[in-house]
Amino acid sequence: MSNPSTTSPPGADSDKLDSAVLKVAGVVVLGAIMSILDVTVVSVALPTFMKEFDTTYANVAWTMTAYTLALATVIPVTGWAADRFGTKRLYMSALVLFVAGSVLCSTAWNIESLISFRVLQGLGGGMLMPLGMTIMTRAAGPERVGRVMAVLGIPMLLGPIAGPILGGWLIESASWHWIFLINLPIGIVALAAAIKLLPKDNPEPSESFDFLGMLLLSPGLALFLFGVSSIPEEHTVAATRVLVPAIIGLVLIVAFVFHALRVKHPLIDLHLFKNRQLTFAVLTMVFFVIAFMGAGLLFPSYFLQVRGETTLSAGILLAPQGLGAMITMPIAGKLVDKIGPGKIVLTGIVVMVIGMAGFTQLTADTPYWLLLGALFVMGLGMGCTMMPNMTAALATLKDHAIAKGSTLMNIVNQTAGSIGTAIMSVVLTNQMQSRPLSGPAIAVQQDPSLADKLKLPAGAVETGLNQAAEAFSHTFTVAAVVLAVTLIPAFFLPRKRIVPTDVDEPAPALMH
């Protein structure tokens, strides 16, 4: 490809990020912030939706699941579309679709309409992250991938920190409509900046579109994630609603694998796995995201249910994790470009396991300084893990392979996140059910007026809250074990400066 946006700009090999790259990064970060914030902002609004639309938690949870399924459906097409239409045009189209979906969400008149508009929003949001990675990697060149990934990590930090705080504040001070309407001014600024600052597209005739691959992979991913996402609601993997779509989805995904290995231009290029470095980065990402996203669900739940905090307070209490990551992420980004990601990712995972160990010993009155300290330590480790690992996956790829690689990593990220959330939800639910006083105690914690109705014996609430804390600690232990397993594939990540290679060749062995 001779597309100017796919080649490294002058000075791409210099040590610092120049102003042109930083401007591109600013545009991408704006879009990514909207997409990621939207997940965490909506999560705190679920109780509000239950009250507003007079429906059950199981129904309002589909405002989250529908968005996730839409992401999974559109991500596989993004790599091909970026090559076919150009990253700038596609990125602007994704912004328009996402903002339009957001405005429509704010007009929802019942839960069904809100879920439908969330699908439209997810179709736009699903393209923003892989396109953003592609645009930034091409703009900076292979020598500076670590630093641009550190910049792209900013919205990944701001989402978990600012989302619950922003969502709680908007709902309490204005109305639930504003958790969607806030995307309108941000989207307009992002679109204007994209028009002015992103490199001009010059797309060439692209490889043929893999329609059969799309018909296999997109519905396959959506059905599989639908099944997995239904596990917490059904309380078992054996439920028909879980097994049937998940098995059909897996069959379609397996069929896609056989198809992709036979055709010349598949929707997702599985020949990327010939690159040993990308393969180990994908495996590291799978285990890391399962543990991290699963634990991310547990932290606010513990503060809300066991400690009786408000939504806004719970969001503020999670801030130390983001602050820790803000300290290490820029340092890790620079070091990755100089010494490779291997040592940095290994160090980050070990630090995260140490931090999560603090949550494996929870009680109903664990000191806040200990919890906040553990979150801060986890944040320090996270800043050394997620984006350096993403760098390991993409830094060896060239030109059009970057779009395919970033699409692949985003599919892995989305799928592993859904699996992690489902696993930890089921583990926690089962732990709670085995401790009969935990449910009533949490109910009284949320609404003290229920104490008389439930007629609990003296000391039952205190005992029940300790049982609930114990259930959380056991679930955090599962997350910590999965996180520790991440050390195995991370051990094989390169420990020297990364040298770009061709997509159809295995990456050079740079490990020891």
Side-chain angles (χ1 to χ4, degrees):
M1 251 194 206
S2 60
N3 183 348
S5 67
T6 65
T7 56
S8 302
D13 294 340
S14 64
D15 193 53
K16 294 182 179 179
L17 296 178
D18 53 63
S19 60
V21 175
L22 288 174
K23 288 176 182 176
V24 170
V27 177
V28 170
V29 165
L30 275 175
I33 282 177
M34 284 196 303
S35 176
I36 294 172
L37 263 182
D38 213 68
V39 176
T40 51
V41 165
V42 171
S43 66
V44 303
L46 298 185
T48 305
F49 294 153
M50 288 173 63
K51 184 178 179 181
E52 185 75 20
F53 298 123
D54 190 24
T55 187
T56 64
Y57 181 85
N59 286 334
V60 298
W62 279 100
T63 59
M64 301 282 291
T65 307
Y67 185 81
T68 301
L69 295 180
L71 289 180
T73 303
V74 77
I75 286 173
V77 186
T78 305
W80 171 84
D83 285 339
R84 172 64 181 85
F85 301 107
T87 51
K88 179 174 182 175
R89 295 175 196 175
L90 194 61
Y91 190 78
M92 291 191 298
S93 300
L95 280 173
V96 170
L97 192 59
F98 181 82
V99 172
S102 299
V103 173
L104 286 172
C105 283
S106 73
T107 68
W109 55 92
N110 57 27
I111 194 64
E112 291 79 14
S113 62
L114 180 59
I115 291 169
S116 301
F117 294 145
R118 285 283 284 167
V119 170
L120 181 64
Q121 197 184 26
L123 293 175
M127 290 187 279
L128 289 176
M129 278 303 287
L131 281 172
M133 284 184 185
T134 302
I135 291 167
M136 287 182 62
T137 306
R138 289 174 173 176
E143 298 294 325
R144 301 181 294 180
V145 170
R147 269 155 288 186
V148 297
M149 284 297 157
V151 173
L152 193 54
I154 292 171
M156 291 188 175
L157 299 177
L158 290 178
I161 301 170
I165 298 173
L166 180 64
W169 177 73
L170 286 171
I171 291 169
E172 290 176 16
S173 63
S175 71
W176 67 267
H177 306 82
W178 282 96
I179 65 173
F180 299 111
L181 285 173
I182 196 169
N183 288 325
L184 181 59
I186 299 174
I188 290 172
V189 172
L191 186 61
I195 293 170
K196 184 174 178 62
L197 299 175
L198 291 186
K200 184 179 179 182
D201 283 327
N202 185 25
E204 298 178 348
S206 68
E207 53 201 40
S208 58
F209 182 61
D210 180 16
F211 280 105
L212 179 57
M214 184 192 72
L215 292 174
L216 291 172
L217 185 58
S218 287
L221 280 171
L223 283 168
F224 176 71
L225 292 181
F226 176 87
V228 169
S229 300
S230 299
I231 294 173
E233 191 178 335
E234 297 293 329
H235 305 301
T236 175
V237 178
T240 302
R241 186 179 177 185
V242 175
L243 282 179
V244 172
I247 290 172
I248 294 173
L250 277 176
V251 168
L252 290 173
I253 292 168
V254 170
F256 170 79
V257 170
F258 284 105
H259 163 77
L261 292 174
R262 290 201 317 268
V263 299
K264 188 173 182 182
H265 299 300
L267 187 65
I268 299 296
D269 189 359
L270 298 183
H271 294 99
L272 287 169
F273 284 108
K274 289 182 180 179
N275 185 319
R276 175 175 172 161
Q277 182 173 305
L278 181 137
T279 300
F280 283 116
V282 166
L283 289 172
T284 302
M285 176 68 77
V286 167
F287 289 107
F288 173 79
V289 172
I290 287 174
F292 178 70
M293 294 297 288
L297 171 81
L298 302 176
F299 295 131
S301 296
Y302 169 78
F303 287 127
L304 291 166
Q305 295 179 357
V306 180
R307 304 307 284 262
E309 297 291 345
T310 65
T311 302
L312 186 57
S313 297
I316 293 170
L317 287 167
L318 295 175
Q321 186 176 26
L323 295 175
M326 282 182 179
I327 293 172
T328 53
M329 190 170 279
I331 300 169
K334 290 180 181 179
L335 289 175
V336 164
D337 291 333
K338 296 181 184 297
I339 65 172
K343 295 174 184 176
I344 297 165
V345 173
L346 283 170
T347 302
I349 293 169
V350 170
V351 171
M352 285 192 73
V353 171
I354 292 170
M356 195 174 286
F359 282 87
T360 63
Q361 307 298 318
L362 286 178
T363 66
D365 54 4
T366 301
Y368 273 126
W369 66 264
L370 186 60
L371 298 177
L372 300 186
L375 282 169
F376 180 72
V377 171
M378 278 195 69
L380 292 174
M382 194 190 93
C384 297
T385 306
M386 191 159 189
M387 299 318 288
N389 184 63
M390 198 74 79
T391 301
L394 300 182
T396 60
L397 303 180
K398 290 182 179 178
D399 297 340
H400 64 284
I402 295 172
K404 294 177 180 178
S406 62
T407 299
L408 175 64
M409 291 301 284
N410 275 275
I411 290 173
V412 169
N413 192 18
Q414 195 62 49
T415 305
S418 296
I419 292 171
T421 301
I423 288 173
M424 299 310 160
S425 295
V426 170
V427 172
L428 180 63
T429 300
N430 290 337
Q431 290 289 327
M432 290 283 195
Q433 287 176 346
S434 66
R435 294 166 173 81
L437 287 176
S438 60
I442 288 174
V444 172
Q445 176 84 291
Q446 303 292 311
D447 184 0
S449 66
L450 292 174
D452 293 332
K453 295 180 184 177
L454 295 174
K455 297 180 180 178
L456 297 174
V461 172
E462 184 180 346
T463 303
L465 290 176
N466 272 308
Q467 287 185 357
E470 193 177 63
F472 273 97
S473 70
H474 280 73
T475 313
F476 275 116
T477 301
V478 174
V481 170
V482 175
L483 191 57
V485 171
T486 310
L487 288 167
I488 298 171
F491 179 79
F492 296 96
L493 294 176
R495 300 178 200 170
K496 291 183 181 178
R497 187 172 185 173
I498 299 171
V499 179
T501 187
D502 291 328
V503 63
D504 55 352
E505 297 175 1
L510 298 173
M511 295 191 330
H512 299 293

